[in-house]
Amino acid sequence: MATQTKRPRVAVSRQGTVAGYGMVARESVQAGELLFVVPRAALLSQHTCSIGGLLERERGALQSQSGWVPLLLALLHELQAPASRWRPYFALWPELGRLEHPMFWPEEQRRCLLQGTGVPEAVEKDLANIRSEYHSIVLPFMEAHPDLFSLRVRSLELYHQLVALVMAYSFQEPLEEEEDEKEPNSPVMVPAADILNHLANHNANLEYSANCLRMVATQPIPKGHEIFNTYGQMANWQLIHMYGFVEPYPDNTDDTADIQMVTVREAALQGTKTEAERLLAYERWDFLCKLEMVGEEGAFVIGREEVLTEEELITTLKVLCMPAEEFRELKDQDGGGDNKREEGSLTITNIPKLKASWRQLLRNSVLLTLQTYATDLKTDQDLLSNKEVYAQLSWREQQALQVRYGQKMILHQLLELTQVGSFPVP
């Protein structure tokens, strides 16, 4: 009797997906059911590629800030190797010259559309690191092994594209609890799993085991519906920066807005009236730096329902707003005084319960943050609410608008909750 081949439960499709292509359910799936399996032998990494031995021997010379150089060299080699067993996998990749990460946008367009969101600054750091990494590590390595890397792949442009691809499509296996002290695992390319698109409200999740990786449904998926993985709790500015897309408002429940830590310092300095008060504000800031609560490049991260950097924000507001005598006592104790948390976590709804001086400082910081955008909330709101006008925007303009609008909605919610005159002063 002939053995009947089991019909796959999922299929790659260009129809019914949010991006150029994705994966859909060919039949209804229940939560907990297995969607597909990827054997570990099918993973493409620095260890499984055909030059894995060389990359392991040269591991010390290939260390970098990103930690991605060995995988990127593996990709550069396999891409130009005629007999590479990964060629069918490469055929499924998006066209490298058409990646939509903001790092590929013209600088003027990037700054115009994403000013205030934090994306242009993140991209500038990326581009500087990519150039440095390529010229100091990657190119010398390829030139030292000309038999393994043809002239075709010795290209900063190609390396740039592969960095974006690894940023968007690679996976990093989480450490076990007992391995928390170890270095993070190196990124790997996972065929099939990297076809799935992302949603905050995802319906599938990748599970790791000794011999394989398993994509498992986390909620019921009706027949014909798209299967979504999660790339983690990602705000829209992180999604567009790392993956080249966003979730339209209000779908991304993980969206956040940042208030730069130095902006809070600026707001505190603007509230001073004398040189002595100004010097004391700087002294308070230096004390917070010593406590490692703030830094020149750090940010307070505000979600829709909670402050993700709760301890840092509470401590900063407390130290910057406390009476001078109380600050002196705290400083004399070297920060070891009564540092107990305020009652309850700092959810968004708890912000009106903060002391009036704290709310005022937070409000002033929000107002300064809103000034960094090129447009105001109403302008963006008008664009979003007019479907005809929105449809005429370019894809990049639409994506950038969604990033700005989501952040501004969070910041304007903070403005409403920090109206000092509306609440009794403690």
Side-chain angles (χ1 to χ4, degrees):
M1 182 177 172
T3 304
Q4 186 174 3
T5 304
K6 190 172 181 181
R7 184 172 182 259
R9 310 191 72 181
V10 300
V12 177
S13 176
R14 293 186 181 275
Q15 271 77 47
T17 61
V18 298
Y21 64 92
M23 194 172 287
V24 297
R26 298 181 67 173
E27 57 189 63
S28 295
V29 177
Q30 297 305 309
E33 289 192 47
L34 179 66
L35 296 169
F36 60 86
V37 174
V38 183
R40 283 195 177 268
L43 307 185
L44 173 49
S45 74
Q46 65 198 63
H47 306 294
T48 61
C49 70
S50 57
I51 58 169
L54 173 63
L55 295 175
E56 180 61 27
R57 288 193 299 274
E58 299 290 336
R59 182 172 54 177
L62 300 178
Q63 290 183 350
S64 68
Q65 185 177 350
S66 70
W68 296 355
V69 166
L71 175 60
L72 288 161
L73 283 167
L75 296 178
L76 285 164
H77 171 71
E78 297 292 345
L79 273 175
Q80 48 91 70
S84 174
R85 68 188 183 99
W86 309 103
R87 293 188 76 81
Y89 170 56
F90 297 147
L92 293 173
W93 277 6
E95 190 177 331
L96 293 180
R98 301 185 67 179
L99 296 173
E100 275 293 350
H101 298 63
M103 65 170 67
F104 299 112
W105 301 8
E107 182 180 358
E108 184 178 349
Q109 183 184 46
R110 187 166 60 236
R111 293 207 165 273
C112 176
L113 295 180
L114 292 166
Q115 180 181 322
T117 65
V119 175
E121 293 78 7
V123 168
E124 289 305 315
K125 288 180 184 177
D126 287 344
L127 294 176
N129 289 337
I130 289 168
R131 286 190 295 267
S132 172
E133 197 172 77
Y134 178 78
H135 288 296
S136 64
I137 304 174
V138 175
L139 183 59
F141 185 86
M142 290 195 291
E143 289 176 338
H145 302 90
D147 55 322
L148 300 176
F149 299 94
S150 66
L151 288 173
R152 180 171 69 87
V153 297
R154 295 183 219 170
S155 156
L156 176 59
E157 181 183 10
L158 176 59
Y159 187 72
H160 188 179
Q161 292 167 346
L162 289 178
V163 168
L165 189 89
V166 167
M167 188 185 290
Y169 286 86
S170 68
F171 290 74
Q172 195 164 28
E173 185 169 353
L175 294 171
E176 300 292 337
E177 286 186 17
E178 62 271 14
E179 297 178 320
D180 280 348
E181 301 301 317
K182 285 179 57 179
E183 289 289 314
N185 287 313
S186 302
V188 298
M189 308 304 291
V190 184
D194 59 13
I195 291 174
L196 270 66
N197 293 309
H198 162 94
L199 271 187
N201 183 28
H202 57 101
N203 54 22
N205 190 51
L206 191 63
E207 297 180 353
Y208 297 81
S209 61
N211 298 317
C212 65
L213 280 61
R214 307 165 72 250
M215 190 66 71
V216 178
T218 57
Q219 54 181 289
I221 307 172
K223 179 181 177 180
H225 282 224
E226 184 168 3
I227 301 164
F228 291 99
N229 189 17
T230 174
Y231 303 161
Q233 291 184 306
M234 293 279 180
N236 267 348
W237 80 265
Q238 293 169 310
L239 286 175
I240 198 168
H241 170 221
M242 296 180 66
Y243 303 96
F245 73 94
V246 301
E247 289 193 64
Y249 187 86
D251 295 352
N252 189 354
T253 53
D254 295 322
D255 210 4
T256 62
D258 287 359
I259 299 174
Q260 297 301 311
M261 290 176 172
V262 293
T263 300
V264 180
R265 180 182 66 190
E266 183 183 349
L269 288 168
Q270 287 184 358
T272 60
K273 297 175 182 176
T274 65
E275 182 62 19
E277 288 181 355
R278 184 175 178 82
L279 291 174
L280 181 58
Y282 275 116
E283 188 178 344
R284 294 173 192 255
W285 182 261
D286 290 342
F287 178 70
L288 287 165
C289 289
K290 184 180 176 183
L291 293 180
E292 297 184 345
M293 289 292 163
V294 298
E296 293 297 311
E297 296 188 0
F300 300 111
V301 184
I302 317 296
R304 289 191 188 172
E305 297 183 356
E306 62 181 345
V307 176
L308 278 66
T309 50
E310 173 190 355
E311 182 181 3
E312 291 83 356
L313 182 58
I314 286 285
T315 304
T316 299
L317 295 174
K318 177 181 179 180
V319 170
L320 292 177
C321 294
M322 64 175 47
E325 186 177 334
E326 188 178 337
F327 171 65
R328 294 291 179 206
E329 290 177 3
L330 180 63
K331 192 176 179 185
D332 289 343
Q333 295 166 355
D334 199 25
D338 184 10
N339 262 341
K340 69 178 181 180
R341 289 193 178 192
E342 301 296 306
E343 288 186 14
S345 62
L346 189 54
T347 60
I348 296 301
T349 53
N350 279 340
I351 284 177
K353 300 175 185 177
L354 296 177
K355 294 179 180 179
S357 59
W358 297 19
R359 295 201 306 272
Q360 186 64 60
L361 177 57
L362 182 55
R363 180 180 181 81
N364 292 343
S365 302
V366 171
L367 289 169
L368 287 174
T369 300
L370 286 168
Q371 290 175 16
T372 65
Y373 295 93
T375 57
D376 60 17
L377 179 66
K378 186 178 185 307
T379 300
D380 290 345
Q381 214 157 25
D382 290 345
L383 286 173
L384 271 174
S385 60
N386 189 323
K387 291 183 179 180
E388 289 184 10
V389 173
Y390 183 77
Q392 292 172 0
L393 298 177
S394 71
W395 187 88
R396 291 177 180 178
E397 288 171 332
Q398 291 178 352
Q399 300 292 289
L401 174 59
Q402 295 286 352
V403 176
R404 299 194 308 264
Y405 186 70
Q407 291 182 350
K408 290 175 191 174
M409 286 296 286
I410 292 172
L411 293 170
H412 275 267
Q413 183 183 24
L414 278 182
L415 280 185
E416 292 179 12
L417 296 171
T418 53
Q419 297 181 59
V420 176
S422 302
F423 308 103
V425 178

